Amino acid sequence: AMKLMESGGGSVQAGESLRLSCSVSEFTFENSDMGWFRQVPGNECELVARISSDGTTYYADSVKGRFLISQDSAKTTLYLQMNSLNPEDTAHYYCARSVAGVATSLVFHPAVYRYWGQGTQVTVSS
């Protein structure tokens, strides 16, 4: 079965950086669109960044210019470099996979991502 496992979360001060990793097994990114989501208890799950199988990236306005999504050359590890973190970035972060070629209008919907990791907590204090 396809598996995803996040790591790299932690507690940092505002202005600091973290890099999240998502290691996958039983599939590669060649036929996948991958997303990083985050969720705060009581709020909806929010798409933070996404990279499609052709390398096209998307970033939420709230993280644009601060976060960078990338993948390794083996296409089995997804990264989210998070710089200039602020308390509003505090959330549980998840990586998720959808099949390649999801319609643009649908990519924000968690339901189109069938496989998810358990997530990693990011806490930013002021």
Side-chain angles (χ1 to χ4, degrees):
M2 297 181 182
K3 296 182 179 179
L4 299 84
M5 181 177 293
E6 302 90 341
S7 61
S11 296
V12 297
Q13 297 289 319
E16 294 183 341
S17 299
L18 282 173
R19 188 176 79 158
L20 305 184
S21 299
C22 174
S23 298
V24 307
S25 58
E26 304 302 323
F27 73 97
T28 69
F29 303 144
E30 290 180 344
N31 295 307
S32 306
D33 291 349
M34 299 297 298
W36 282 102
F37 286 81
R38 65 186 180 187
Q39 188 168 30
V40 175
N43 289 6
E44 292 185 355
C45 198
E46 173 193 20
L47 178 63
V48 174
R50 175 179 175 271
I51 185 166
S52 62
S53 58
D54 66 1
T56 303
T57 57
Y58 158 85
Y59 297 93
D61 287 343
S62 60
V63 307
K64 201 172 293 184
R66 300 189 297 122
F67 289 14
L68 178 68
I69 188 171
S70 63
Q71 55 193 225
D72 69 340
S73 58
K75 298 186 182 296
T76 58
T77 304
L78 183 72
Y79 301 103
L80 185 68
Q81 177 66 41
M82 305 187 297
N83 300 322
S84 301
L85 286 162
N86 59 62
E88 290 70 38
D89 296 316
T90 295
H92 209 71
Y93 284 72
Y94 301 88
C95 64
R97 175 197 182 264
S98 75
V99 295
V102 173
T104 302
S105 61
L106 297 177
V107 301
F108 306 96
H109 296 277
V112 305
Y113 297 79
R114 181 175 178 184
Y115 296 94
W116 293 74
Q118 293 298 308
T120 185
Q121 178 68 29
V122 172
T123 302
V124 185
S125 56
S126 57

